[in-house]
PDB file of all heavy atoms in Angstrom:
ATOM      1  N   VAL R  29     202.980  49.778 125.410  1.00 94.00           N
ATOM      2  CA  VAL R  29     203.762  49.646 124.181  1.00 94.00           C
ATOM      3  C   VAL R  29     202.800  49.728 123.005  1.00 94.00           C
ATOM      4  O   VAL R  29     201.815  48.994 122.952  1.00 94.00           O
ATOM      5  CB  VAL R  29     204.529  48.308 124.144  1.00 94.00           C
ATOM      6  CG1 VAL R  29     205.260  48.159 122.807  1.00 94.00           C
ATOM      7  CG2 VAL R  29     205.514  48.233 125.294  1.00 94.00           C
ATOM      8  N   ASP R  30     203.075  50.628 122.085  1.00 93.00           N
ATOM      9  CA  ASP R  30     202.232  50.788 120.895  1.00 93.00           C
ATOM     10  C   ASP R  30     202.339  49.527 120.039  1.00 93.00           C
ATOM     11  O   ASP R  30     203.431  49.135 119.626  1.00 93.00           O
ATOM     12  CB  ASP R  30     202.685  52.012 120.097  1.00 93.00           C
ATOM     13  CG  ASP R  30     201.666  52.455 119.066  1.00 93.00           C
ATOM     14  OD1 ASP R  30     201.177  51.592 118.318  1.00 93.00           O
ATOM     15  OD2 ASP R  30     201.353  53.664 119.008  1.00 93.00           O
ATOM     16  N   ALA R  31     201.200  48.886 119.767  1.00 91.00           N
ATOM     17  CA  ALA R  31     201.202  47.645 118.992  1.00 91.00           C
ATOM     18  C   ALA R  31     201.128  47.894 117.489  1.00 91.00           C
ATOM     19  O   ALA R  31     201.238  46.943 116.708  1.00 91.00           O
ATOM     20  CB  ALA R  31     200.033  46.756 119.421  1.00 91.00           C
ATOM     21  N   GLU R  32     200.934  49.149 117.072  1.00 87.00           N
ATOM     22  CA  GLU R  32     200.793  49.454 115.653  1.00 87.00           C
ATOM     23  C   GLU R  32     201.976  50.228 115.094  1.00 87.00           C
ATOM     24  O   GLU R  32     202.198  50.213 113.883  1.00 87.00           O
ATOM     25  CB  GLU R  32     199.507  50.257 115.422  1.00 87.00           C
ATOM     26  CG  GLU R  32     198.246  49.494 115.806  1.00 87.00           C
ATOM     27  CD  GLU R  32     196.987  50.267 115.462  1.00 87.00           C
ATOM     28  OE1 GLU R  32     197.044  51.165 114.594  1.00 87.00           O
ATOM     29  OE2 GLU R  32     195.939  49.983 116.074  1.00 87.00           O
ATOM     30  N   ASN R  33     202.722  50.903 115.942  1.00 86.00           N
ATOM     31  CA  ASN R  33     203.836  51.721 115.478  1.00 86.00           C
ATOM     32  C   ASN R  33     205.138  51.160 116.042  1.00 86.00           C
ATOM     33  O   ASN R  33     205.455  51.366 117.213  1.00 86.00           O
ATOM     34  CB  ASN R  33     203.651  53.172 115.924  1.00 86.00           C
ATOM     35  CG  ASN R  33     204.779  54.075 115.440  1.00 86.00           C
ATOM     36  OD1 ASN R  33     205.681  53.640 114.711  1.00 86.00           O
ATOM     37  ND2 ASN R  33     204.738  55.336 115.841  1.00 86.00           N
ATOM     38  N   PRO R  34     205.923  50.459 115.225  1.00 85.00           N
ATOM     39  CA  PRO R  34     207.158  49.855 115.734  1.00 85.00           C
ATOM     40  C   PRO R  34     208.226  50.860 116.124  1.00 85.00           C
ATOM     41  O   PRO R  34     209.188  50.514 116.800  1.00 85.00           O
ATOM     42  CB  PRO R  34     207.629  48.974 114.570  1.00 85.00           C
ATOM     43  CG  PRO R  34     207.037  49.619 113.363  1.00 85.00           C
ATOM     44  CD  PRO R  34     205.720  50.181 113.790  1.00 85.00           C
ATOM     45  N   ASN R  35     208.060  52.113 115.707  1.00 82.00           N
ATOM     46  CA  ASN R  35     209.050  53.143 116.036  1.00 82.00           C
ATOM     47  C   ASN R  35     208.713  53.915 117.299  1.00 82.00           C
ATOM     48  O   ASN R  35     209.502  54.733 117.760  1.00 82.00           O
ATOM     49  CB  ASN R  35     209.176  54.120 114.858  1.00 82.00           C
ATOM     50  CG  ASN R  35     209.670  53.444 113.593  1.00 82.00           C
ATOM     51  OD1 ASN R  35     210.587  52.634 113.635  1.00 82.00           O
ATOM     52  ND2 ASN R  35     209.054  53.764 112.464  1.00 82.00           N
ATOM     53  N   ALA R  36     207.524  53.681 117.846  1.00 87.00           N
ATOM     54  CA  ALA R  36     207.131  54.391 119.069  1.00 87.00           C
ATOM     55  C   ALA R  36     207.875  53.807 120.267  1.00 87.00           C
ATOM     56  O   ALA R  36     208.096  52.609 120.363  1.00 87.00           O
ATOM     57  CB  ALA R  36     205.623  54.274 119.287  1.00 87.00           C
ATOM     58  N   GLN R  37     208.252  54.669 121.195  1.00 88.00           N
ATOM     59  CA  GLN R  37     208.956  54.236 122.395  1.00 88.00           C
ATOM     60  C   GLN R  37     207.961  53.706 123.433  1.00 88.00           C
ATOM     61  O   GLN R  37     206.880  54.264 123.600  1.00 88.00           O
ATOM     62  CB  GLN R  37     209.745  55.403 122.999  1.00 88.00           C
ATOM     63  CG  GLN R  37     210.836  55.952 122.096  1.00 88.00           C
ATOM     64  CD  GLN R  37     211.916  54.923 121.832  1.00 88.00           C
ATOM     65  OE1 GLN R  37     212.395  54.242 122.733  1.00 88.00           O
ATOM     66  NE2 GLN R  37     212.306  54.798 120.571  1.00 88.00           N
ATOM     67  N   GLY R  38     208.329  52.628 124.102  1.00 91.00           N
ATOM     68  CA  GLY R  38     207.515  52.156 125.205  1.00 91.00           C
ATOM     69  C   GLY R  38     207.515  53.172 126.340  1.00 91.00           C
ATOM     70  O   GLY R  38     208.499  53.891 126.532  1.00 91.00           O
ATOM     71  N   GLN R  39     206.419  53.249 127.080  1.00 93.00           N
ATOM     72  CA  GLN R  39     206.310  54.231 128.150  1.00 93.00           C
ATOM     73  C   GLN R  39     205.749  53.586 129.409  1.00 93.00           C
ATOM     74  O   GLN R  39     205.015  52.600 129.340  1.00 93.00           O
ATOM     75  CB  GLN R  39     205.376  55.377 127.726  1.00 93.00           C
ATOM     76  CG  GLN R  39     205.868  56.167 126.545  1.00 93.00           C
ATOM     77  CD  GLN R  39     204.898  57.285 126.166  1.00 93.00           C
ATOM     78  OE1 GLN R  39     203.767  57.329 126.640  1.00 93.00           O
ATOM     79  NE2 GLN R  39     205.357  58.205 125.327  1.00 93.00           N
ATOM     80  N   VAL R  40     206.125  54.145 130.549  1.00 94.00           N
ATOM     81  CA  VAL R  40     205.473  53.802 131.801  1.00 94.00           C
ATOM     82  C   VAL R  40     204.426  54.872 132.048  1.00 94.00           C
ATOM     83  O   VAL R  40     204.754  56.029 132.313  1.00 94.00           O
ATOM     84  CB  VAL R  40     206.476  53.736 132.972  1.00 94.00           C
ATOM     85  CG1 VAL R  40     205.729  53.426 134.267  1.00 94.00           C
ATOM     86  CG2 VAL R  40     207.539  52.679 132.709  1.00 94.00           C
ATOM     87  N   ARG R  41     203.191  54.496 131.921  1.00 95.00           N
ATOM     88  CA  ARG R  41     202.109  55.474 132.120  1.00 95.00           C
ATOM     89  C   ARG R  41     201.849  55.609 133.607  1.00 95.00           C
ATOM     90  O   ARG R  41     201.655  54.614 134.310  1.00 95.00           O
ATOM     91  CB  ARG R  41     200.850  55.037 131.384  1.00 95.00           C
ATOM     92  CG  ARG R  41     199.775  56.122 131.431  1.00 95.00           C
ATOM     93  CD  ARG R  41     198.568  55.791 130.596  1.00 95.00           C
ATOM     94  NE  ARG R  41     197.599  56.869 130.684  1.00 95.00           N
ATOM     95  CZ  ARG R  41     197.245  57.676 129.698  1.00 95.00           C
ATOM     96  NH1 ARG R  41     197.816  57.542 128.505  1.00 95.00           N
ATOM     97  NH2 ARG R  41     196.340  58.619 129.883  1.00 95.00           N
ATOM     98  N   MET R  42     201.809  56.852 134.098  1.00 93.00           N
ATOM     99  CA  MET R  42     201.708  57.102 135.530  1.00 93.00           C
ATOM    100  C   MET R  42     200.482  57.931 135.915  1.00 93.00           C
ATOM    101  O   MET R  42     200.336  58.277 137.092  1.00 93.00           O
ATOM    102  CB  MET R  42     202.974  57.802 136.032  1.00 93.00           C
ATOM    103  CG  MET R  42     204.230  56.967 135.879  1.00 93.00           C
ATOM    104  SD  MET R  42     205.681  57.772 136.606  1.00 93.00           S
ATOM    105  CE  MET R  42     206.906  56.466 136.470  1.00 93.00           C
ATOM    106  N   ALA R  43     199.593  58.235 134.952  1.00 95.00           N
ATOM    107  CA  ALA R  43     198.412  59.042 135.269  1.00 95.00           C
ATOM    108  C   ALA R  43     197.319  58.729 134.263  1.00 95.00           C
ATOM    109  O   ALA R  43     197.588  58.292 133.130  1.00 95.00           O
ATOM    110  CB  ALA R  43     198.742  60.532 135.247  1.00 95.00           C
ATOM    111  N   ASN R  44     196.058  58.967 134.687  1.00 95.00           N
ATOM    112  CA  ASN R  44     194.942  58.750 133.783  1.00 95.00           C
ATOM    113  C   ASN R  44     194.738  59.973 132.887  1.00 95.00           C
ATOM    114  O   ASN R  44     195.544  60.915 132.910  1.00 95.00           O
ATOM    115  CB  ASN R  44     193.669  58.401 134.563  1.00 95.00           C
ATOM    116  CG  ASN R  44     193.188  59.545 135.458  1.00 95.00           C
ATOM    117  OD1 ASN R  44     193.676  60.675 135.395  1.00 95.00           O
ATOM    118  ND2 ASN R  44     192.212  59.254 136.303  1.00 95.00           N
ATOM    119  N   GLU R  45     193.661  59.974 132.124  1.00 95.00           N
ATOM    120  CA  GLU R  45     193.437  61.052 131.174  1.00 95.00           C
ATOM    121  C   GLU R  45     193.213  62.397 131.854  1.00 95.00           C
ATOM    122  O   GLU R  45     193.442  63.446 131.252  1.00 95.00           O
ATOM    123  CB  GLU R  45     192.233  60.724 130.286  1.00 95.00           C
ATOM    124  CG  GLU R  45     192.512  59.655 129.248  1.00 95.00           C
ATOM    125  CD  GLU R  45     193.493  60.120 128.188  1.00 95.00           C
ATOM    126  OE1 GLU R  45     193.067  60.711 127.184  1.00 95.00           O
ATOM    127  OE2 GLU R  45     194.710  59.904 128.377  1.00 95.00           O
ATOM    128  N   GLN R  46     192.760  62.378 133.097  1.00 95.00           N
ATOM    129  CA  GLN R  46     192.540  63.623 133.836  1.00 95.00           C
ATOM    130  C   GLN R  46     193.783  64.105 134.568  1.00 95.00           C
ATOM    131  O   GLN R  46     193.748  65.114 135.275  1.00 95.00           O
ATOM    132  CB  GLN R  46     191.397  63.448 134.842  1.00 95.00           C
ATOM    133  CG  GLN R  46     190.000  63.401 134.223  1.00 95.00           C
ATOM    134  CD  GLN R  46     189.748  62.115 133.471  1.00 95.00           C
ATOM    135  OE1 GLN R  46     190.115  61.041 133.951  1.00 95.00           O
ATOM    136  NE2 GLN R  46     189.119  62.197 132.317  1.00 95.00           N
ATOM    137  N   GLY R  47     194.894  63.373 134.414  1.00 95.00           N
ATOM    138  CA  GLY R  47     196.134  63.774 135.051  1.00 95.00           C
ATOM    139  C   GLY R  47     196.292  63.293 136.480  1.00 95.00           C
ATOM    140  O   GLY R  47     197.249  63.681 137.162  1.00 95.00           O
ATOM    141  N   GLN R  48     195.372  62.454 136.963  1.00 96.00           N
ATOM    142  CA  GLN R  48     195.462  61.932 138.331  1.00 96.00           C
ATOM    143  C   GLN R  48     196.512  60.819 138.388  1.00 96.00           C
ATOM    144  O   GLN R  48     196.458  59.861 137.627  1.00 96.00           O
ATOM    145  CB  GLN R  48     194.100  61.397 138.786  1.00 96.00           C
ATOM    146  CG  GLN R  48     193.023  62.467 138.826  1.00 96.00           C
ATOM    147  CD  GLN R  48     191.635  61.886 139.041  1.00 96.00           C
ATOM    148  OE1 GLN R  48     191.360  60.740 138.700  1.00 96.00           O
ATOM    149  NE2 GLN R  48     190.740  62.688 139.600  1.00 96.00           N
ATOM    150  N   GLN R  49     197.480  60.963 139.286  1.00 95.00           N
ATOM    151  CA  GLN R  49     198.568  60.008 139.394  1.00 95.00           C
ATOM    152  C   GLN R  49     198.055  58.653 139.897  1.00 95.00           C
ATOM    153  O   GLN R  49     197.195  58.586 140.767  1.00 95.00           O
ATOM    154  CB  GLN R  49     199.638  60.537 140.349  1.00 95.00           C
ATOM    155  CG  GLN R  49     200.333  61.809 139.859  1.00 95.00           C
ATOM    156  CD  GLN R  49     201.190  61.555 138.633  1.00 95.00           C
ATOM    157  OE1 GLN R  49     201.988  60.626 138.607  1.00 95.00           O
ATOM    158  NE2 GLN R  49     201.017  62.394 137.616  1.00 95.00           N
ATOM    159  N   TYR R  50     198.623  57.592 139.331  1.00 95.00           N
ATOM    160  CA  TYR R  50     198.243  56.248 139.754  1.00 95.00           C
ATOM    161  C   TYR R  50     198.876  55.891 141.091  1.00 95.00           C
ATOM    162  O   TYR R  50     199.996  56.322 141.405  1.00 95.00           O
ATOM    163  CB  TYR R  50     198.699  55.195 138.734  1.00 95.00           C
ATOM    164  CG  TYR R  50     198.074  55.293 137.368  1.00 95.00           C
ATOM    165  CD1 TYR R  50     198.857  55.151 136.224  1.00 95.00           C
ATOM    166  CD2 TYR R  50     196.709  55.509 137.204  1.00 95.00           C
ATOM    167  CE1 TYR R  50     198.300  55.215 134.959  1.00 95.00           C
ATOM    168  CE2 TYR R  50     196.138  55.576 135.937  1.00 95.00           C
ATOM    169  CZ  TYR R  50     196.942  55.427 134.818  1.00 95.00           C
ATOM    170  OH  TYR R  50     196.400  55.495 133.576  1.00 95.00           O
ATOM    171  N   SER R  51     198.178  55.060 141.845  1.00 94.00           N
ATOM    172  CA  SER R  51     198.744  54.381 143.014  1.00 94.00           C
ATOM    173  C   SER R  51     198.160  52.973 143.013  1.00 94.00           C
ATOM    174  O   SER R  51     197.169  52.678 143.668  1.00 94.00           O
ATOM    175  CB  SER R  51     198.385  55.108 144.311  1.00 94.00           C
ATOM    176  OG  SER R  51     198.920  54.398 145.431  1.00 94.00           O
ATOM    177  N   ILE R  52     198.791  52.112 142.207  1.00 95.00           N
ATOM    178  CA  ILE R  52     198.280  50.756 141.980  1.00 95.00           C
ATOM    179  C   ILE R  52     198.785  49.834 143.080  1.00 95.00           C
ATOM    180  O   ILE R  52     199.997  49.741 143.319  1.00 95.00           O
ATOM    181  CB  ILE R  52     198.717  50.257 140.590  1.00 95.00           C
ATOM    182  CG1 ILE R  52     198.146  51.169 139.501  1.00 95.00           C
ATOM    183  CG2 ILE R  52     198.296  48.817 140.369  1.00 95.00           C
ATOM    184  CD1 ILE R  52     198.672  50.886 138.111  1.00 95.00           C
ATOM    185  N   LYS R  53     197.867  49.156 143.731  1.00 94.00           N
ATOM    186  CA  LYS R  53     198.247  48.275 144.837  1.00 94.00           C
ATOM    187  C   LYS R  53     197.973  46.804 144.540  1.00 94.00           C
ATOM    188  O   LYS R  53     198.689  45.935 145.035  1.00 94.00           O
ATOM    189  CB  LYS R  53     197.490  48.683 146.106  1.00 94.00           C
ATOM    190  CG  LYS R  53     197.738  50.117 146.558  1.00 94.00           C
ATOM    191  CD  LYS R  53     196.961  50.419 147.824  1.00 94.00           C
ATOM    192  CE  LYS R  53     197.205  51.848 148.314  1.00 94.00           C
ATOM    193  NZ  LYS R  53     196.626  52.844 147.398  1.00 94.00           N
ATOM    194  N   TYR R  54     196.946  46.522 143.761  1.00 95.00           N
ATOM    195  CA  TYR R  54     196.492  45.137 143.602  1.00 95.00           C
ATOM    196  C   TYR R  54     196.886  44.609 142.224  1.00 95.00           C
ATOM    197  O   TYR R  54     196.364  45.032 141.196  1.00 95.00           O
ATOM    198  CB  TYR R  54     194.971  45.063 143.790  1.00 95.00           C
ATOM    199  CG  TYR R  54     194.543  45.555 145.151  1.00 95.00           C
ATOM    200  CD1 TYR R  54     194.184  46.891 145.347  1.00 95.00           C
ATOM    201  CD2 TYR R  54     194.524  44.699 146.248  1.00 95.00           C
ATOM    202  CE1 TYR R  54     193.809  47.355 146.603  1.00 95.00           C
ATOM    203  CE2 TYR R  54     194.148  45.151 147.506  1.00 95.00           C
ATOM    204  CZ  TYR R  54     193.799  46.479 147.672  1.00 95.00           C
ATOM    205  OH  TYR R  54     193.432  46.935 148.922  1.00 95.00           O
ATOM    206  N   THR R  55     197.847  43.693 142.211  1.00 94.00           N
ATOM    207  CA  THR R  55     198.316  43.060 140.976  1.00 94.00           C
ATOM    208  C   THR R  55     198.553  41.580 141.246  1.00 94.00           C
ATOM    209  O   THR R  55     198.762  41.167 142.400  1.00 94.00           O
ATOM    210  CB  THR R  55     199.623  43.691 140.476  1.00 94.00           C
ATOM    211  OG1 THR R  55     200.669  43.416 141.423  1.00 94.00           O
ATOM    212  CG2 THR R  55     199.486  45.187 140.280  1.00 94.00           C
ATOM    213  N   PRO R  56     198.541  40.739 140.188  1.00 92.00           N
ATOM    214  CA  PRO R  56     198.743  39.300 140.392  1.00 92.00           C
ATOM    215  C   PRO R  56     200.078  38.947 141.021  1.00 92.00           C
ATOM    216  O   PRO R  56     200.190  37.951 141.731  1.00 92.00           O
ATOM    217  CB  PRO R  56     198.633  38.727 138.974  1.00 92.00           C
ATOM    218  CG  PRO R  56     197.793  39.716 138.241  1.00 92.00           C
ATOM    219  CD  PRO R  56     198.176  41.053 138.801  1.00 92.00           C
ATOM    220  N   GLY R  57     201.127  39.745 140.787  1.00 86.00           N
ATOM    221  CA  GLY R  57     202.443  39.389 141.298  1.00 86.00           C
ATOM    222  C   GLY R  57     202.827  40.078 142.583  1.00 86.00           C
ATOM    223  O   GLY R  57     203.963  39.935 143.048  1.00 86.00           O
ATOM    224  N   SER R  58     201.891  40.822 143.196  1.00 87.00           N
ATOM    225  CA  SER R  58     202.232  41.554 144.410  1.00 87.00           C
ATOM    226  C   SER R  58     202.265  40.604 145.612  1.00 87.00           C
ATOM    227  O   SER R  58     202.051  39.403 145.492  1.00 87.00           O
ATOM    228  CB  SER R  58     201.235  42.688 144.643  1.00 87.00           C
ATOM    229  OG  SER R  58     201.737  43.599 145.595  1.00 87.00           O
ATOM    230  N   VAL R  59     202.526  41.160 146.791  1.00 84.00           N
ATOM    231  CA  VAL R  59     202.699  40.332 147.990  1.00 84.00           C
ATOM    232  C   VAL R  59     201.710  40.762 149.071  1.00 84.00           C
ATOM    233  O   VAL R  59     201.050  41.792 148.973  1.00 84.00           O
ATOM    234  CB  VAL R  59     204.138  40.447 148.526  1.00 84.00           C
ATOM    235  CG1 VAL R  59     205.132  39.905 147.513  1.00 84.00           C
ATOM    236  CG2 VAL R  59     204.473  41.905 148.859  1.00 84.00           C
ATOM    237  N   PHE R  60     201.630  39.905 150.094  1.00 84.00           N
ATOM    238  CA  PHE R  60     200.759  40.149 151.249  1.00 84.00           C
ATOM    239  C   PHE R  60     199.310  40.341 150.780  1.00 84.00           C
ATOM    240  O   PHE R  60     198.859  39.709 149.831  1.00 84.00           O
ATOM    241  CB  PHE R  60     201.255  41.341 152.071  1.00 84.00           C
ATOM    242  CG  PHE R  60     202.714  41.268 152.430  1.00 84.00           C
ATOM    243  CD1 PHE R  60     203.591  42.277 152.056  1.00 84.00           C
ATOM    244  CD2 PHE R  60     203.219  40.166 153.135  1.00 84.00           C
ATOM    245  CE1 PHE R  60     204.940  42.201 152.376  1.00 84.00           C
ATOM    246  CE2 PHE R  60     204.565  40.094 153.460  1.00 84.00           C
ATOM    247  CZ  PHE R  60     205.423  41.105 153.086  1.00 84.00           C
ATOM    248  N   SER R  61     198.585  41.236 151.422  1.00 89.00           N
ATOM    249  CA  SER R  61     197.170  41.419 151.109  1.00 89.00           C
ATOM    250  C   SER R  61     196.947  42.111 149.770  1.00 89.00           C
ATOM    251  O   SER R  61     195.808  42.210 149.305  1.00 89.00           O
ATOM    252  CB  SER R  61     196.495  42.241 152.218  1.00 89.00           C
ATOM    253  OG  SER R  61     197.101  43.515 152.341  1.00 89.00           O
ATOM    254  N   TYR R  62     198.042  42.601 149.149  1.00 91.00           N
ATOM    255  CA  TYR R  62     197.900  43.270 147.863  1.00 91.00           C
ATOM    256  C   TYR R  62     198.037  42.304 146.685  1.00 91.00           C
ATOM    257  O   TYR R  62     197.864  42.713 145.534  1.00 91.00           O
ATOM    258  CB  TYR R  62     198.932  44.386 147.737  1.00 91.00           C
ATOM    259  CG  TYR R  62     198.748  45.473 148.765  1.00 91.00           C
ATOM    260  CD1 TYR R  62     199.735  45.761 149.698  1.00 91.00           C
ATOM    261  CD2 TYR R  62     197.556  46.197 148.813  1.00 91.00           C
ATOM    262  CE1 TYR R  62     199.555  46.748 150.653  1.00 91.00           C
ATOM    263  CE2 TYR R  62     197.367  47.187 149.768  1.00 91.00           C
ATOM    264  CZ  TYR R  62     198.365  47.460 150.690  1.00 91.00           C
ATOM    265  OH  TYR R  62     198.174  48.443 151.628  1.00 91.00           O
TER     266      TYR R  62
END
């Protein structure tokens, strides 16, 4: 979410700057070994 432009739409970012798609496994709210 853009913190400087209140008119910008929030986005789900799914790739890095090189265009490689994310596959995120390790987050604080995940389950099991992840």
Side-chain angles (χ1 to χ4, degrees):
V29 176
D30 195 312
E32 298 185 21
N33 181 3
N35 298 317
Q37 297 296 314
Q39 297 180 348
V40 178
R41 187 174 180 113
M42 297 185 172
N44 64 10
E45 286 292 272
Q46 286 72 42
Q48 298 170 334
Q49 295 292 311
Y50 296 136
S51 178
I52 299 172
K53 301 181 179 68
Y54 301 92
T55 66
S58 195
V59 297
F60 309 122
S61 60
Y62 297 118

